[in-house]
Amino acid sequence: MRIGIAAVLGTCGGPRTYARALVEALARADADHEYWVLTDCPAAVPRAPQVHAVHVPLASRYAQPWWDHVGVPGAVRSLGLELLHHTKAALPLGLAVPSVVSVYDAAPFLHARTFTRLQALHHREHIRHAARRAGRIVTVSEEARDELAQALAVDRERIAVVPPGSDESAAPAVGGRPAAMD
């Protein structure tokens, strides 16, 4: 199966770390499928024989809607991908293949005041659309699953909890070795 993973990797933070760790884990666990990482930063894609980096340009963080709804689905079509996992709480409008979406929390619904009005509206609508469209929603904790199920009015059984792992390469070094190794 040809599986696409949409991942914004040209930035720092949790979604980048999550997407890289996801690709690394899939490559270790599954040699039967090909993974096509659709990303703004191909150099950040973990290397493995069945993992292919595909550059989908992202001019700035303000161009994220274009990336999600034009760049990513264009790459899905041109590569003949059979499944898409978007790692950042969005799915392309009109996506023609089955999908999975990672949504880390329900902050845009529960803590809208921490976003600008436009950001909160944008995030809520993207997450609602993704939740309706995705065959499966992935989140990081039971608490996040309960909050998302309530905020989105979806059956909590559609939401898989996959706690984030650790990325030893990101751990601070202690005595020349990553701290996670001690």
Side-chain angles (χ1 to χ4, degrees):
M1 179 179 266
R2 295 168 62 90
I3 300 169
I5 300 174
V8 175
L9 299 176
T11 185
C12 293
R16 173 194 161 98
T17 301
Y18 169 84
R20 286 181 44 81
L22 173 68
V23 171
E24 288 171 348
L26 287 169
R28 279 193 310 272
D30 178 19
D32 296 332
H33 297 98
E34 287 186 86
Y35 295 94
W36 299 82
V37 182
L38 314 176
T39 183
D40 61 320
C41 186
V45 174
R47 305 228 185 277
Q50 74 276 35
V51 174
H52 313 280
V54 177
H55 188 228
V56 179
L58 176 59
S60 76
R61 65 185 178 132
Y62 301 107
Q64 183 80 41
W66 180 93
W67 195 84
D68 289 329
H69 300 293
V70 178
V72 168
V76 168
R77 280 189 304 277
S78 71
L79 295 167
L81 301 179
E82 300 168 77
L83 174 74
L84 177 68
H85 181 162
H86 199 305
T87 62
K88 205 166 177 189
L91 285 176
L93 298 170
L95 184 65
V97 299
S99 59
V100 173
V101 66
S102 294
V103 182
Y104 307 102
D105 58 46
F109 301 95
L110 302 176
H111 307 288
R113 289 183 163 185
T114 63
F115 298 88
T116 68
R117 192 178 312 252
L118 185 59
Q119 284 176 320
L121 175 65
H122 171 79
H123 289 306
R124 285 193 306 261
E125 291 309 310
H126 272 267
I127 293 170
R128 282 186 184 117
H129 169 262
R132 283 190 305 270
R133 174 64 177 88
R136 193 74 150 164
I137 302 163
V138 177
T139 195
V140 297
S141 70
E142 289 292 335
E143 180 180 6
R145 176 163 79 172
D146 292 341
E147 291 174 351
L148 286 167
Q150 183 172 0
L152 299 168
V154 299
D155 183 352
R156 67 188 304 277
E157 297 307 312
R158 283 192 55 225
I159 305 171
V161 175
V162 181
S166 65
D167 179 2
E168 292 177 359
S169 68
V174 174
R177 294 176 40 208
M181 301 291 287
D182 291 333

